Structures are given as structure tokens and as C-alpha cells.
Amino acid sequence: MLNNQFGEKVDGYTITVFNNREIRATAGIMFLMAFISLILILSNGNFVPVKYVLSIFVLEFFTRLFINPRYAPLLIIGRLIVRNQNPEFVGAGQKKFAWYIGFTISTIMFFLLVIMNAFSPITGIACLICLLLMFSESSFGICFGCKLYGLIKKDKAQYCPGEICDTKQKHPIQKITIKHFFALLGLFIFIIMLFILCQETFAIKAHRLF
């Protein structure tokens, strides 16, 4: 039965929360769907897959925000994937705010690409923003919508992934030293040398091995 509670009540937490592992898994699924759709558009101008993807995204965010996140299809798939991992809880308030951003962008793109059947720089920029947000969350656990929530909301966000809402001293294993910057500089120089020395070799078309 549906209820108006947003998020889950968990012992030891003063507010409703979500399992951030499920959310990150779902963000990874959505990123893959959107990325494949973008590749198909860029490679041969095929806009059909992205129309299916946008329809699914709008349904997903609508279910999360206006029905109940428990019944959002992609979140259910994310739960199935990470069901054997210990949960990492995140406050429901900031996730709701972030999902409103996702719903807004998805709805705009749905209207332009599916309803109007037209593309423009607006859809391109919106697509890149979506990819950036989903990749950041799935790969790094960084939710830009949650960060924005903390900036505009008077109430401090609680139970952020990785405890980034709490001011704390970094452990030695987290610190970046001058040696690390030299290592990054070495990578940059390596890439430049590859481009200078191997550009023509890399440009040769690959042949079939068998």
C-alpha cells in the first residue's frame, strides 16, 4: 500500500533515509543507458533509443517523487544488484531535492526530443549535464544536487555519503602531497609524448586478428 512517507525509517537515524548503494547502482545503470543513446546519436544519427531512455527516466523520477521511491523500477533493479552489500544510508531530504533536478531536466528533454521530435543545443547541453551528474554519483559518490541542497537550504543536510557534510580532519591516507602532483605531471607529459611520437602509428586502421 502506498504512503506519504518519503524515505525509510531506520533505527538509529533521526530522519528518513535511503540506501545510497542502491542509488549509486541505479545512477550507473541510467548513465549507461544515456551514454549508449548518445553514442548512437553521434555515430549514425539514431534518435530512437534516446526516446525510449527519456521515457523511462521521466517514469522513474515521477515514481520516486510523486508515488513512492520503493516502487521506482530502476531503483528496484539497483537494489537487486547490491542486495548483498551492507547499506550506506543517506538523508532522504537532499536526495528528493536532487531527484527534482533530474526530473526537471528529463522532462525538458522528453518534451523537446519525444513530443516535439526536435534537437538543439539545449538538448545537447542537458544531455551532457545529465551524464555528468550520473557519472559523478555512480563513480565518485558525489551528488551535486545534494551539495546544492546544502547551499540553499537553511537546515543542514544530514547523513551525506562519505560523511562529507561533517567537517573533519583528513586521514593521512587521504592527503595529497607534492609527490602526487609530480606523478600527475608525469602522466600529462606521457600523454604529450604519446601524441608527438605515436600519432601516425595510432592513426593506422586496425585489422582483423583472425
Side-chain angles (χ1 to χ4, degrees), residues 14 37 47 49 54 78 99 144 165 191 204:
T14 57
S37 299
F47 283 86
L54 287 172
W99 291 345
F144 284 105
C165 298
I191 294 172
I204 299 174

Side-chain angles (χ1 to χ4, degrees), residues 6 14 16-18 30 36 39 58 62 115 124 201-202:
F6 192 84
T14 57
T16 55
V17 295
F18 290 110
M30 297 174 76
I36 292 174
I39 293 300
V58 171
F62 183 87
I115 304 299
T201 303
F202 287 175

Side-chain angles (χ1 to χ4, degrees), residues 64-200:
R64 294 185 193 184
L65 293 169
F66 305 111
I67 300 178
N68 193 313
R70 292 180 182 178
Y71 306 105
L74 297 183
L75 273 179
I76 294 173
I77 295 174
R79 173 173 292 192
L80 287 171
I81 293 172
V82 300
R83 65 187 182 279
N84 293 325
Q85 300 178 15
N86 289 328
E88 178 190 13
F89 295 114
V90 60
Q94 59 260 38
K95 282 300 175 185
K96 184 175 185 178
F97 180 84
W99 291 345
Y100 267 115
I101 295 175
F103 178 71
T104 301
I105 297 175
S106 299
T107 301
I108 291 173
M109 292 184 66
F110 178 85
F111 178 78
L112 293 174
L113 279 171
V114 179
I115 304 299
M116 295 187 64
N117 197 28
F119 64 92
S120 68
I122 297 175
T123 54
I125 293 172
C127 181
L128 290 177
I129 292 173
C130 279
L131 287 171
L132 175 63
L133 295 178
M134 291 183 293
F135 180 78
S136 174
E137 177 147 24
S138 61
S139 297
F140 310 126
I142 299 175
C143 173
F144 284 105
C146 300
K147 286 183 173 292
L148 185 59
Y149 174 91
L151 293 176
I152 67 176
K153 287 282 187 178
K154 293 182 179 179
D155 298 332
K156 182 182 177 182
Q158 301 181 54
Y159 309 122
C160 299
E163 300 178 358
I164 60 173
C165 298
D166 304 325
T167 303
K168 58 184 183 299
Q169 186 176 3
K170 286 183 170 59
H171 296 285
I173 198 173
Q174 295 176 286
K175 293 180 179 179
I176 303 296
T177 67
I178 189 66
K179 293 180 181 179
H180 294 120
F181 284 109
F182 276 118
L184 293 176
L185 178 61
L187 173 63
F188 182 71
I189 295 173
F190 176 74
I191 294 172
I192 293 176
M193 295 303 295
L194 276 179
F195 181 78
I196 294 173
L197 301 175
C198 303
Q199 182 181 9
E200 293 183 1

